[in-house]
Amino acid sequence: ERLRTWIARTSERLYGSRAPLVEALVNGRRGGLDPALRDDFAASGLVHLLSISGFHVGLIVAWVVLGLRAAGVRREPALLWAGVLATAYVGFLGWPAPAVRAAWLAWLLALLRLRQRAAQPDALLGVSALGVLLLDPWAVADLGAWLSVLSLWGATRFARWTDAEVGRGKLLEMGAGSVGATLAGAPLTAAVLGTVAPVGIILNFAAIPVAAVAVPGVLASLLLAPLAAPVAGALAAGSGLALHLLELLARAGGRLPLGHLTVPPGPPQAVPWLALLVAACWATGRHVTARVAGWRSLGIVTAVLWVALGREAAADGLLAGRDGAPGELALHLLDVGQGDAAVIRTPGGHVVLVDAGPAGPDGDAGRRVVVPWLRRAGIRSVDVLVASHGHLDHVGGAGAVLDRVRVGLVLEPGAPVPDAAYGAFLEAVAGAGVPWRPARPGERFTIDSVAFTVLRPDPAWPRWGEDVNDDSVILLVEYRGFRALFPGDAGFAAESALAGRVGPVDLLKVGHHGSRTSSGDGWLAELAPQVAVVPVGRNTYGHPAPEALARLAAHGAEIWRTDRDGTVTVRTDGRTVRVEGRARRRILDARAAASATP
């Protein structure tokens, strides 16, 4: 641990702001990385460079062998010494399963070379994986271990076919290996992580050679820091340039359209990628010539394009009528964890986004959930982004949305909030060049016959400014006979101030994630919601509070929760209301408008 601490301090001294990236590459610790940069590495398919895996161990082995051979050491002793150093490094890291597998593979290769035996690649990979399980049976549940094995199998399997049927060449071999590694790991990453990054196939051509220089350069600078500080500084300068190139590649790849595909995690998501992997193996089967493989691949690509175009057309409404049947309003309360984000899509296909989810140590919901959801739904622009208030769980993801989706107008509270998240939100709005203005009480605008009304306490209200939650922008949505209310995090005080000004609603987005200080009896008696959706995730606040749930139930509201029902979608033609969640659905009659106060 003292050595790890020394490495962290030395990295900070040598690399400054890039020290967290050095920590990830050397120690496997990614906690200090900027979340946005970490997301970019994942979205660009380069996250494997930040995980201590077979790639890193292979680099160490290759550079040690290269150095010893240059010093005149024979191949076999050089391989043995490389195995010793690789094992010591893996032990220093704490024996992560992917690195153990790579070190074990290095030893097997050295022993086979000493005994002058030729090894079958698949058999060698199988034995090395079995060795990991013998040392640590719990590695069978390690996602990194499985990805390490699958990726190496895919890379070697497709590279061997290319060598046999197409021809030998480093670029050709690297391309085939990159495609194979991505295809082999895609079913698992789609099922467990809900993400696949095809752009990594291309980016690896540049990223792997850069990392192959950066990693040994970083290690050498750290080793030489106590012995020859000037030399270590020079190495750090060169390695820092390589690290900067990796960052640029990750950022470019993370922003490339369709380079990163995001789906809801789950076993069904593995099926299409598993089918694609099987099809690729069929197209490049044993003794299949390059000509035959080309025709088979053309057929596979054609089938994939038809499926993709069909899904895109359905998402854009070209086949299914926008977001449902013609003339329907759709409200999607997204499952963003402990935070708020709702997409309102009008009958004409215009979009209003109410909040954008949280951002924090667990990731950026705007980048991880909201933007991918919009892209899957065929939404390329948002007409109005409404920020209910300046807390991180509501505006944390707005920066990612503003960075990746065209936004026409931002409506926000317009009241100074001593919160860094609110300042970052305003900077993102200014940086994107999006027009913005405060949401004024009583303000009303209409899009495709859907009326949006801002209901919030007036700044002259005596309790204005006491609690940011009570100053939330409260949005009333009305379409024909349907009414829905989005109260942000408003509590008892704001509810009391608005008494008699709202009237009945069909849908209530429950305020403040079901806090015990929101959704009071008087408020619920006036609203009389048929459906109450609680946007909530794992938290330490006790949300939703049993008291709030009891009050909602007592007033006849049917309770839906995003932590249990996933994203809740409400579709209505103004007369009938259809509510859908992860495993249930309901059909109701819209009735609020008939008894609402004008």
Side-chain angles (χ1 to χ4, degrees):
E1 289 302 319
R2 283 196 292 270
L3 180 56
R4 290 177 188 272
T5 303
W6 177 85
I7 289 176
R9 291 175 178 170
T10 306
S11 300
E12 188 171 352
R13 177 165 53 84
L14 290 174
Y15 292 93
S17 61
R18 292 197 176 87
L21 184 56
V22 172
E23 278 278 281
L25 290 171
V26 175
N27 283 341
R29 293 178 172 179
R30 291 184 285 175
L33 275 176
D34 176 46
L37 180 60
R38 190 165 61 233
D39 290 343
D40 283 335
F41 269 94
S44 61
L46 302 179
V47 72
H48 63 92
L49 300 178
L50 302 181
S51 303
I52 302 298
S53 61
F55 173 73
H56 295 74
V57 177
L59 278 180
I60 293 173
V61 170
W63 278 102
V64 170
V65 171
L66 185 64
L68 292 176
R69 290 287 290 160
V73 180
R74 290 187 301 109
R75 183 185 298 273
E76 289 76 10
L79 284 170
L80 290 176
W81 276 110
V84 170
L85 292 176
T87 304
Y89 179 58
V90 172
F92 165 72
L93 296 172
W95 308 104
V100 171
R101 192 268 312 153
W104 181 221
L105 187 60
W107 275 108
L108 288 174
L109 286 171
L111 292 173
L112 289 169
R113 171 68 69 172
L114 284 172
R115 295 180 61 83
Q116 298 183 356
R117 299 289 179 87
Q120 296 294 328
D122 291 340
L124 189 61
L125 178 61
V127 170
S128 65
L130 179 61
V132 173
L133 290 177
L134 291 175
L135 292 170
D136 179 15
W138 287 108
V140 73
D142 189 320
L143 175 63
W146 282 104
L147 286 177
S148 175
V149 172
L150 288 172
S151 299
L152 184 57
W153 170 80
T156 56
R157 190 261 178 220
F158 285 89
R160 291 201 308 271
W161 178 85
T162 304
D163 286 345
E165 302 296 339
V166 180
R168 293 182 178 273
K170 292 299 180 183
L171 287 178
L172 191 61
E173 187 175 342
M174 182 182 292
S178 187
V179 171
T182 301
L183 286 179
L188 191 57
T189 58
V192 179
L193 304 176
T195 178
V196 178
V199 69
I201 295 174
I202 300 172
L203 291 181
N204 276 317
F205 275 91
I208 287 179
V210 172
V213 174
V215 171
V218 166
L219 287 172
S221 68
L222 294 175
L223 290 172
L224 290 173
L227 304 174
V231 177
L235 282 171
S239 301
L241 177 60
L243 295 178
H244 181 58
L245 289 175
L246 286 178
E247 291 177 352
L248 292 178
L249 287 170
R251 289 198 175 98
R255 287 159 176 74
L256 193 67
L258 300 180
H260 175 231
L261 307 178
T262 305
V263 295
Q269 306 301 337
V271 175
W273 295 102
L274 188 60
L276 185 60
L277 175 61
V278 171
C281 290
W282 166 73
T284 58
R286 191 176 182 183
H287 304 311
V288 173
T289 63
R291 178 184 174 83
V292 174
W295 283 109
R296 290 183 178 183
S297 299
L298 183 61
I300 294 169
V301 170
T302 303
V304 169
L305 286 176
W306 272 109
V307 172
L309 288 172
R311 291 183 63 182
E312 184 74 10
D316 280 333
L318 298 178
L319 299 180
R322 293 190 178 93
D323 209 346
E328 280 195 339
L329 169 69
L331 306 95
H332 307 273
L333 292 93
L334 305 185
D335 178 14
V336 292
Q338 182 65 12
D340 272 29
V343 179
I344 303 172
R345 197 167 192 179
T346 68
H350 294 282
V351 175
V352 174
L353 176 63
V354 183
D355 291 326
D362 294 331
D364 184 332
R367 186 189 303 263
R368 178 175 52 86
V369 179
V370 180
V371 171
W373 192 96
L374 293 173
R375 288 176 175 172
R376 288 198 303 272
I379 296 172
R380 300 293 181 262
S381 63
V382 170
D383 294 87
V384 183
L385 168 59
V386 180
S388 64
H389 62 296
H391 281 165
L392 187 64
D393 55 338
H394 290 253
V395 298
V401 174
L402 291 163
D403 187 40
R404 290 166 170 75
V405 179
R406 188 183 67 80
V407 176
L409 174 69
V410 171
L411 284 179
E412 56 96 22
V417 178
D419 192 313
Y422 183 62
F425 164 67
L426 293 181
E427 287 181 5
V429 173
V434 177
W436 70 274
R437 58 185 175 84
R440 296 180 292 271
E443 178 179 0
R444 183 181 177 93
F445 58 94
T446 302
I447 304 176
D448 292 337
S449 70
V450 180
F452 298 85
T453 305
V454 175
L455 298 172
R456 61 184 300 199
D458 191 275
W461 178 45
R463 300 191 61 176
W464 179 267
E466 289 184 7
D467 188 341
V468 175
N469 292 328
D470 283 326
D471 299 338
S472 293
V473 174
I474 299 174
L475 193 67
L476 176 66
V477 182
E478 299 173 280
Y479 178 58
R480 296 176 179 170
F482 172 84
R483 304 178 92 229
L485 189 69
F486 294 82
D489 277 358
F492 289 159
E495 293 172 2
S496 178
L498 294 175
R501 295 173 53 188
V502 183
V505 299
D506 296 288
L507 168 68
L508 171 64
K509 192 287 297 184
V510 176
H512 205 178
H513 321 289
S515 165
R516 62 182 179 84
T517 59
S518 296
S519 305
D521 280 312
W523 178 251
L524 294 177
E526 178 181 346
L527 300 182
Q530 295 192 76
V531 177
V533 180
V534 186
V536 67
R538 186 174 57 189
N539 66 89
T540 58
Y541 309 111
H543 297 163
E547 304 96 310
L549 295 177
R551 289 193 293 267
L552 288 164
H555 287 273
E558 185 174 304
I559 300 171
W560 295 64
R561 296 170 48 165
T562 57
D563 60 339
R564 297 180 179 177
D565 295 299
T567 292
V568 178
T569 295
V570 179
R571 292 186 175 91
T572 180
D573 58 2
R575 295 180 297 274
T576 301
V577 181
R578 303 196 311 277
V579 189
E580 301 176 5
R582 181 181 294 139
R584 59 172 173 152
R585 63 179 57 188
R586 289 274 285 143
I587 299 179
L588 309 165
D589 291 327
R591 64 189 187 196
S595 54
T597 302

